[in-house]
Amino acid sequence: GSPWTIMVQPGPMSLATTTSFGAGISNRVAGVSATLFVQARDAYSNNLTVSGTGFITVERPGTASVTVPCVSAAPLLSCSYILTVSGTYSQQVYLSNAVAGAPTTFAVTASTINPATTTSSGAGITVATAGTYATFTITARDGYGNAVSDGGASFSAVIGGVIGTTSVTVRSSITDHKTGQYLVGYDATVTGTYSIYVSLFSINAGSSPYIGLLVVPGAVSAPASTAFGSGLKGGLVNAPV
């Protein structure tokens, strides 16, 4: 008799209402595994146990998409993968080869600074003019070569060389732009060939040491110019000295 207990079962799976969640749909760090879970639903958003196979496609603008297979984690599907190139990505879930749910967009940011992949560039790496301020830029990068976007690293730049028989060290300064780039400036006054040592955590950064920095003479300076020879002491009219 009344009342009767009835069981309402979910309806057929609806690709439009199927959803995904987890770290795999969020921003993440290069080189760190992230997992996306797929939850199948009917047209009324009632949860279903996923049946069939699934995969996701991951794409960065200007590059070919990558297909990542999903595995069963009943009642869900689980899709895990690692990205090593920073940038903005989009991903789309497929169930039984059909689009499921809306695409999601996320960003991959650089990992921690790696001295080995950090780079230095600029004219001041190879040549400078005596008495003229010269610069070059250090770009902090992670282990995958991605440019780091924030500052705070304690880089060191030492410039020195043996000029004749004298060891010469050039004072340098480093400006942290808080963008992952560091401007190194120096003012060498003695001509000759020098080496530049860039380091982080006492580890050579990138291709350091940069050997062969050439400091060339600056413009002629009358106060610093000299004259010499016997002609400075006197002589005879119309006679060579």
Side-chain angles (χ1 to χ4, degrees):
S2 175
W4 292 276
T5 299
I6 61 173
M7 176 69 72
V8 177
Q9 299 286 348
M13 184 179 70
S14 168
L15 293 172
T17 59
T18 290
T19 188
S20 56
F21 62 92
I25 64 171
S26 305
N27 296 342
R28 79 282 302 269
V29 175
V32 177
S33 177
T35 300
L36 175 150
F37 296 99
V38 180
Q39 173 66 73
R41 289 177 172 175
D42 67 11
Y44 304 98
S45 296
N46 296 303
N47 291 342
L48 292 165
T49 296
V50 178
S51 60
T53 59
F55 62 90
I56 59 176
T57 58
V58 183
E59 184 176 2
R60 186 166 57 92
T63 64
S65 64
V66 176
T67 299
V68 180
C70 301
V71 297
S72 176
L76 310 170
L77 282 182
S78 171
C79 320
S80 299
Y81 60 98
I82 297 174
L83 295 171
T84 58
V85 179
S86 61
T88 301
Y89 290 77
S90 62
Q91 63 186 0
Q92 177 65 63
V93 175
Y94 290 81
L95 291 178
S96 299
N97 294 316
V99 172
T104 55
T105 302
F106 60 90
V108 174
T109 56
S111 185
T112 55
I113 298 175
N114 186 322
T117 54
T118 289
T119 57
S120 296
S121 60
I125 282 282
T126 57
V127 66
T129 300
T132 300
Y133 194 70
T135 63
F136 64 90
T137 300
I138 301 170
T139 300
R141 299 183 183 276
D142 67 11
Y144 303 100
N146 300 304
V148 176
S149 60
D150 54 10
S154 299
F155 282 101
S156 170
V158 177
I159 304 170
V162 177
I163 311 303
T165 58
T166 303
S167 179
V168 178
T169 300
V170 180
R171 179 176 294 182
S172 64
S173 63
I174 300 179
T175 302
D176 182 355
H177 287 310
K178 309 298 183 182
T179 60
Q181 292 194 325
Y182 302 76
L183 183 69
V184 181
Y186 63 92
D187 188 355
T189 58
V190 179
T191 60
T193 302
Y194 296 77
S195 295
I196 301 176
Y197 298 83
V198 178
S199 62
L200 180 66
F201 315 129
S202 298
I203 301 172
N204 277 331
S207 300
S208 178
Y210 298 90
I211 299 172
L213 165 63
L214 181 63
V215 177
V216 299
V220 174
S221 170
S225 296
T226 58
F228 60 92
S230 58
L232 296 177
K233 299 179 180 179
L236 299 174
V237 175
N238 294 327
V241 293

mmCIF file of all heavy atoms in Angstrom, residues 193-232:
data_model
loop_
_atom_site.group_PDB
_atom_site.id
_atom_site.type_symbol
_atom_site.label_atom_id
_atom_site.label_comp_id
_atom_site.label_asym_id
_atom_site.label_seq_id
_atom_site.Cartn_x
_atom_site.Cartn_y
_atom_site.Cartn_z
ATOM 1 N N THR A 193 91.823 42.437 -22.150
ATOM 2 C CA THR A 193 90.867 41.331 -22.262
ATOM 3 C C THR A 193 90.519 40.813 -20.873
ATOM 4 O O THR A 193 91.415 40.523 -20.060
ATOM 5 C CB THR A 193 91.450 40.199 -23.117
ATOM 6 O OG1 THR A 193 91.781 40.723 -24.414
ATOM 7 C CG2 THR A 193 90.441 39.076 -23.285
ATOM 8 N N TYR A 194 89.226 40.662 -20.618
ATOM 9 C CA TYR A 194 88.730 40.269 -19.306
ATOM 10 C C TYR A 194 87.836 39.020 -19.424
ATOM 11 O O TYR A 194 87.441 38.622 -20.520
ATOM 12 C CB TYR A 194 87.900 41.397 -18.679
ATOM 13 C CG TYR A 194 88.666 42.655 -18.372
ATOM 14 C CD1 TYR A 194 89.014 43.558 -19.386
ATOM 15 C CD2 TYR A 194 89.018 42.973 -17.069
ATOM 16 C CE1 TYR A 194 89.697 44.726 -19.097
ATOM 17 C CE2 TYR A 194 89.708 44.146 -16.772
ATOM 18 C CZ TYR A 194 90.040 45.016 -17.786
ATOM 19 O OH TYR A 194 90.722 46.179 -17.502
ATOM 20 N N SER A 195 87.486 38.475 -18.275
ATOM 21 C CA SER A 195 86.500 37.396 -18.185
ATOM 22 C C SER A 195 85.381 37.831 -17.252
ATOM 23 O O SER A 195 85.608 38.601 -16.307
ATOM 24 C CB SER A 195 87.137 36.106 -17.661
ATOM 25 O OG SER A 195 88.098 35.606 -18.568
ATOM 26 N N ILE A 196 84.160 37.370 -17.552
ATOM 27 C CA ILE A 196 82.993 37.683 -16.723
ATOM 28 C C ILE A 196 82.498 36.390 -16.089
ATOM 29 O O ILE A 196 82.236 35.401 -16.785
ATOM 30 C CB ILE A 196 81.867 38.315 -17.562
ATOM 31 C CG1 ILE A 196 82.356 39.603 -18.230
ATOM 32 C CG2 ILE A 196 80.648 38.606 -16.685
ATOM 33 C CD1 ILE A 196 81.333 40.241 -19.155
ATOM 34 N N TYR A 197 82.353 36.411 -14.774
ATOM 35 C CA TYR A 197 81.874 35.244 -14.038
ATOM 36 C C TYR A 197 80.499 35.573 -13.457
ATOM 37 O O TYR A 197 80.378 36.424 -12.567
ATOM 38 C CB TYR A 197 82.846 34.881 -12.911
ATOM 39 C CG TYR A 197 84.228 34.506 -13.401
ATOM 40 C CD1 TYR A 197 85.170 35.484 -13.695
ATOM 41 C CD2 TYR A 197 84.577 33.170 -13.581
ATOM 42 C CE1 TYR A 197 86.436 35.144 -14.156
ATOM 43 C CE2 TYR A 197 85.845 32.824 -14.038
ATOM 44 C CZ TYR A 197 86.762 33.813 -14.329
ATOM 45 O OH TYR A 197 88.009 33.468 -14.790
ATOM 46 N N VAL A 198 79.463 34.932 -13.989
ATOM 47 C CA VAL A 198 78.093 35.103 -13.496
ATOM 48 C C VAL A 198 77.728 33.849 -12.722
ATOM 49 O O VAL A 198 77.890 32.727 -13.218
ATOM 50 C CB VAL A 198 77.098 35.324 -14.650
ATOM 51 C CG1 VAL A 198 75.676 35.449 -14.119
ATOM 52 C CG2 VAL A 198 77.485 36.560 -15.454
ATOM 53 N N SER A 199 77.216 34.012 -11.503
ATOM 54 C CA SER A 199 76.908 32.840 -10.689
ATOM 55 C C SER A 199 75.664 33.060 -9.837
ATOM 56 O O SER A 199 75.235 34.195 -9.597
ATOM 57 C CB SER A 199 78.093 32.480 -9.790
ATOM 58 O OG SER A 199 78.367 33.541 -8.881
ATOM 59 N N LEU A 200 75.092 31.951 -9.414
ATOM 60 C CA LEU A 200 73.960 31.934 -8.497
ATOM 61 C C LEU A 200 74.167 30.757 -7.554
ATOM 62 O O LEU A 200 74.459 29.644 -8.008
ATOM 63 C CB LEU A 200 72.634 31.787 -9.255
ATOM 64 C CG LEU A 200 71.359 31.744 -8.402
ATOM 65 C CD1 LEU A 200 71.148 33.082 -7.694
ATOM 66 C CD2 LEU A 200 70.137 31.403 -9.259
ATOM 67 N N PHE A 201 74.044 30.992 -6.263
ATOM 68 C CA PHE A 201 74.310 29.958 -5.254
ATOM 69 C C PHE A 201 75.746 29.435 -5.397
ATOM 70 O O PHE A 201 76.003 28.240 -5.172
ATOM 71 C CB PHE A 201 73.331 28.779 -5.366
ATOM 72 C CG PHE A 201 71.899 29.165 -5.544
ATOM 73 C CD1 PHE A 201 71.145 28.615 -6.563
ATOM 74 C CD2 PHE A 201 71.291 30.088 -4.702
ATOM 75 C CE1 PHE A 201 69.816 28.957 -6.739
ATOM 76 C CE2 PHE A 201 69.963 30.441 -4.872
ATOM 77 C CZ PHE A 201 69.224 29.875 -5.890
ATOM 78 N N SER A 202 76.678 30.319 -5.829
ATOM 79 C CA SER A 202 78.084 29.963 -6.045
ATOM 80 C C SER A 202 78.257 28.947 -7.173
ATOM 81 O O SER A 202 79.283 28.268 -7.257
ATOM 82 C CB SER A 202 78.711 29.411 -4.747
ATOM 83 O OG SER A 202 78.681 30.392 -3.725
ATOM 84 N N ILE A 203 77.248 28.847 -8.049
ATOM 85 C CA ILE A 203 77.306 27.953 -9.211
ATOM 86 C C ILE A 203 77.314 28.810 -10.468
ATOM 87 O O ILE A 203 76.510 29.742 -10.598
ATOM 88 C CB ILE A 203 76.086 27.006 -9.234
ATOM 89 C CG1 ILE A 203 76.024 26.162 -7.964
ATOM 90 C CG2 ILE A 203 76.121 26.108 -10.472
ATOM 91 C CD1 ILE A 203 74.744 25.358 -7.832
ATOM 92 N N ASN A 204 78.227 28.508 -11.396
ATOM 93 C CA ASN A 204 78.272 29.264 -12.642
ATOM 94 C C ASN A 204 76.919 29.218 -13.341
ATOM 95 O O ASN A 204 76.286 28.161 -13.435
ATOM 96 C CB ASN A 204 79.340 28.698 -13.579
ATOM 97 C CG ASN A 204 80.720 29.225 -13.242
ATOM 98 O OD1 ASN A 204 80.866 30.330 -12.725
ATOM 99 N ND2 ASN A 204 81.748 28.448 -13.540
ATOM 100 N N ALA A 205 76.471 30.369 -13.827
ATOM 101 C CA ALA A 205 75.172 30.473 -14.488
ATOM 102 C C ALA A 205 75.352 30.460 -15.994
ATOM 103 O O ALA A 205 76.139 31.236 -16.547
ATOM 104 C CB ALA A 205 74.452 31.749 -14.060
ATOM 105 N N GLY A 206 74.635 29.579 -16.664
ATOM 106 C CA GLY A 206 74.686 29.499 -18.125
ATOM 107 C C GLY A 206 76.061 29.150 -18.630
ATOM 108 O O GLY A 206 76.674 28.182 -18.178
ATOM 109 N N SER A 207 76.592 29.951 -19.562
ATOM 110 C CA SER A 207 77.887 29.677 -20.181
ATOM 111 C C SER A 207 79.041 30.339 -19.441
ATOM 112 O O SER A 207 80.161 30.419 -19.966
ATOM 113 C CB SER A 207 77.883 30.146 -21.642
ATOM 114 O OG SER A 207 76.885 29.482 -22.386
ATOM 115 N N SER A 208 78.788 30.832 -18.244
ATOM 116 C CA SER A 208 79.848 31.454 -17.454
ATOM 117 C C SER A 208 80.952 30.438 -17.139
ATOM 118 O O SER A 208 80.667 29.262 -16.891
ATOM 119 C CB SER A 208 79.263 32.001 -16.148
ATOM 120 O OG SER A 208 80.247 32.560 -15.328
ATOM 121 N N PRO A 209 82.236 30.867 -17.157
ATOM 122 C CA PRO A 209 82.697 32.241 -17.380
ATOM 123 C C PRO A 209 82.687 32.621 -18.858
ATOM 124 O O PRO A 209 82.971 31.802 -19.725
ATOM 125 C CB PRO A 209 84.122 32.217 -16.841
ATOM 126 C CG PRO A 209 84.572 30.801 -17.040
ATOM 127 C CD PRO A 209 83.340 29.961 -16.811
ATOM 128 N N TYR A 210 82.342 33.898 -19.088
ATOM 129 C CA TYR A 210 82.372 34.447 -20.442
ATOM 130 C C TYR A 210 83.762 35.037 -20.665
ATOM 131 O O TYR A 210 84.108 36.083 -20.100
ATOM 132 C CB TYR A 210 81.289 35.511 -20.609
ATOM 133 C CG TYR A 210 79.892 34.950 -20.411
ATOM 134 C CD1 TYR A 210 79.297 34.945 -19.146
ATOM 135 C CD2 TYR A 210 79.189 34.406 -21.476
ATOM 136 C CE1 TYR A 210 78.017 34.413 -18.959
ATOM 137 C CE2 TYR A 210 77.914 33.874 -21.301
ATOM 138 C CZ TYR A 210 77.350 33.882 -20.046
ATOM 139 O OH TYR A 210 76.089 33.351 -19.866
ATOM 140 N N ILE A 211 84.553 34.345 -21.458
ATOM 141 C CA ILE A 211 85.955 34.716 -21.655
ATOM 142 C C ILE A 211 86.098 35.530 -22.938
ATOM 143 O O ILE A 211 85.513 35.186 -23.968
ATOM 144 C CB ILE A 211 86.833 33.461 -21.719
ATOM 145 C CG1 ILE A 211 86.726 32.691 -20.391
ATOM 146 C CG2 ILE A 211 88.286 33.794 -22.020
ATOM 147 C CD1 ILE A 211 87.395 31.336 -20.412
ATOM 148 N N GLY A 212 86.879 36.602 -22.846
ATOM 149 C CA GLY A 212 87.154 37.370 -24.049
ATOM 150 C C GLY A 212 86.482 38.717 -24.122
ATOM 151 O O GLY A 212 86.364 39.294 -25.212
ATOM 152 N N LEU A 213 86.012 39.248 -22.977
ATOM 153 C CA LEU A 213 85.489 40.613 -22.986
ATOM 154 C C LEU A 213 86.631 41.561 -23.342
ATOM 155 O O LEU A 213 87.652 41.609 -22.649
ATOM 156 C CB LEU A 213 84.921 40.970 -21.612
ATOM 157 C CG LEU A 213 84.666 42.464 -21.357
ATOM 158 C CD1 LEU A 213 83.608 43.008 -22.315
ATOM 159 C CD2 LEU A 213 84.278 42.715 -19.909
ATOM 160 N N LEU A 214 86.457 42.310 -24.406
ATOM 161 C CA LEU A 214 87.497 43.228 -24.875
ATOM 162 C C LEU A 214 87.132 44.665 -24.516
ATOM 163 O O LEU A 214 86.098 45.177 -24.946
ATOM 164 C CB LEU A 214 87.670 43.107 -26.390
ATOM 165 C CG LEU A 214 88.745 44.006 -27.021
ATOM 166 C CD1 LEU A 214 90.131 43.646 -26.481
ATOM 167 C CD2 LEU A 214 88.707 43.890 -28.542
ATOM 168 N N VAL A 215 87.979 45.297 -23.721
ATOM 169 C CA VAL A 215 87.810 46.704 -23.387
ATOM 170 C C VAL A 215 88.747 47.507 -24.282
ATOM 171 O O VAL A 215 89.972 47.348 -24.222
ATOM 172 C CB VAL A 215 88.110 46.976 -21.903
ATOM 173 C CG1 VAL A 215 87.993 48.474 -21.600
ATOM 174 C CG2 VAL A 215 87.146 46.192 -21.012
ATOM 175 N N VAL A 216 88.162 48.344 -25.140
ATOM 176 C CA VAL A 216 88.938 49.114 -26.117
ATOM 177 C C VAL A 216 89.103 50.549 -25.624
ATOM 178 O O VAL A 216 88.358 51.006 -24.751
ATOM 179 C CB VAL A 216 88.248 49.097 -27.502
ATOM 180 C CG1 VAL A 216 88.137 47.672 -28.022
ATOM 181 C CG2 VAL A 216 86.873 49.748 -27.419
ATOM 182 N N PRO A 217 90.100 51.278 -26.169
ATOM 183 C CA PRO A 217 90.317 52.659 -25.719
ATOM 184 C C PRO A 217 89.104 53.538 -25.984
ATOM 185 O O PRO A 217 88.369 53.354 -26.955
ATOM 186 C CB PRO A 217 91.526 53.118 -26.553
ATOM 187 C CG PRO A 217 92.208 51.857 -26.966
ATOM 188 C CD PRO A 217 91.113 50.853 -27.145
ATOM 189 N N GLY A 218 88.917 54.541 -25.115
ATOM 190 C CA GLY A 218 87.851 55.496 -25.295
ATOM 191 C C GLY A 218 88.295 56.650 -26.171
ATOM 192 O O GLY A 218 89.339 56.590 -26.832
ATOM 193 N N ALA A 219 87.491 57.706 -26.181
ATOM 194 C CA ALA A 219 87.823 58.890 -26.977
ATOM 195 C C ALA A 219 89.093 59.553 -26.448
ATOM 196 O O ALA A 219 89.450 59.422 -25.268
ATOM 197 C CB ALA A 219 86.668 59.875 -26.944
ATOM 198 N N VAL A 220 89.791 60.280 -27.344
ATOM 199 C CA VAL A 220 91.012 60.980 -26.947
ATOM 200 C C VAL A 220 90.693 62.010 -25.871
ATOM 201 O O VAL A 220 89.725 62.772 -25.976
ATOM 202 C CB VAL A 220 91.667 61.671 -28.158
ATOM 203 C CG1 VAL A 220 92.854 62.520 -27.717
ATOM 204 C CG2 VAL A 220 92.103 60.628 -29.177
ATOM 205 N N SER A 221 91.499 62.028 -24.826
ATOM 206 C CA SER A 221 91.342 62.993 -23.744
ATOM 207 C C SER A 221 92.604 63.841 -23.672
ATOM 208 O O SER A 221 93.700 63.327 -23.398
ATOM 209 C CB SER A 221 91.120 62.265 -22.413
ATOM 210 O OG SER A 221 91.205 63.162 -21.326
ATOM 211 N N ALA A 222 92.470 65.134 -23.919
ATOM 212 C CA ALA A 222 93.637 66.018 -23.887
ATOM 213 C C ALA A 222 94.322 66.029 -22.530
ATOM 214 O O ALA A 222 95.561 65.919 -22.453
ATOM 215 C CB ALA A 222 93.221 67.435 -24.301
ATOM 216 N N PRO A 223 93.579 66.116 -21.417
ATOM 217 C CA PRO A 223 94.261 66.130 -20.117
ATOM 218 C C PRO A 223 95.034 64.843 -19.837
ATOM 219 O O PRO A 223 96.039 64.854 -19.125
ATOM 220 C CB PRO A 223 93.117 66.318 -19.122
ATOM 221 C CG PRO A 223 92.019 66.952 -19.907
ATOM 222 C CD PRO A 223 92.127 66.373 -21.276
ATOM 223 N N ALA A 224 94.546 63.719 -20.383
ATOM 224 C CA ALA A 224 95.223 62.458 -20.102
ATOM 225 C C ALA A 224 96.297 62.128 -21.125
ATOM 226 O O ALA A 224 97.088 61.197 -20.922
ATOM 227 C CB ALA A 224 94.190 61.331 -20.064
ATOM 228 N N SER A 225 96.369 62.878 -22.219
ATOM 229 C CA SER A 225 97.365 62.602 -23.253
ATOM 230 C C SER A 225 98.733 63.092 -22.817
ATOM 231 O O SER A 225 98.858 64.046 -22.038
ATOM 232 C CB SER A 225 96.965 63.289 -24.569
ATOM 233 O OG SER A 225 95.753 62.762 -25.062
ATOM 234 N N THR A 226 99.793 62.455 -23.330
ATOM 235 C CA THR A 226 101.163 62.807 -22.962
ATOM 236 C C THR A 226 102.008 62.991 -24.213
ATOM 237 O O THR A 226 101.703 62.487 -25.290
ATOM 238 C CB THR A 226 101.795 61.708 -22.086
ATOM 239 O OG1 THR A 226 101.773 60.459 -22.801
ATOM 240 C CG2 THR A 226 101.021 61.531 -20.779
ATOM 241 N N ALA A 227 103.073 63.732 -24.052
ATOM 242 C CA ALA A 227 104.065 63.907 -25.115
ATOM 243 C C ALA A 227 105.431 63.574 -24.553
ATOM 244 O O ALA A 227 105.701 63.776 -23.361
ATOM 245 C CB ALA A 227 104.032 65.343 -25.635
ATOM 246 N N PHE A 228 106.305 63.042 -25.408
ATOM 247 C CA PHE A 228 107.639 62.705 -24.916
ATOM 248 C C PHE A 228 108.625 62.786 -26.084
ATOM 249 O O PHE A 228 108.229 62.863 -27.258
ATOM 250 C CB PHE A 228 107.654 61.315 -24.290
ATOM 251 C CG PHE A 228 107.265 60.221 -25.240
ATOM 252 C CD1 PHE A 228 108.228 59.549 -25.982
ATOM 253 C CD2 PHE A 228 105.927 59.877 -25.419
ATOM 254 C CE1 PHE A 228 107.858 58.540 -26.866
ATOM 255 C CE2 PHE A 228 105.559 58.879 -26.303
ATOM 256 C CZ PHE A 228 106.520 58.210 -27.038
ATOM 257 N N GLY A 229 109.889 62.778 -25.773
ATOM 258 C CA GLY A 229 110.942 62.839 -26.779
ATOM 259 C C GLY A 229 111.893 63.986 -26.509
ATOM 260 O O GLY A 229 111.619 64.913 -25.718
ATOM 261 N N SER A 230 113.023 63.985 -27.217
ATOM 262 C CA SER A 230 114.056 65.002 -26.977
ATOM 263 C C SER A 230 113.599 66.384 -27.379
ATOM 264 O O SER A 230 114.110 67.411 -26.900
ATOM 265 C CB SER A 230 115.328 64.632 -27.746
ATOM 266 O OG SER A 230 115.050 64.521 -29.150
ATOM 267 N N GLY A 231 112.616 66.451 -28.291
ATOM 268 C CA GLY A 231 112.131 67.741 -28.740
ATOM 269 C C GLY A 231 111.466 68.552 -27.652
ATOM 270 O O GLY A 231 111.206 69.730 -27.824
ATOM 271 N N LEU A 232 111.146 67.907 -26.533
ATOM 272 C CA LEU A 232 110.519 68.631 -25.439
ATOM 273 C C LEU A 232 111.532 69.403 -24.614
ATOM 274 O O LEU A 232 111.172 70.244 -23.785
ATOM 275 C CB LEU A 232 109.761 67.649 -24.516
ATOM 276 C CG LEU A 232 108.577 66.920 -25.152
ATOM 277 C CD1 LEU A 232 107.988 65.938 -24.146
ATOM 278 C CD2 LEU A 232 107.522 67.906 -25.601
#
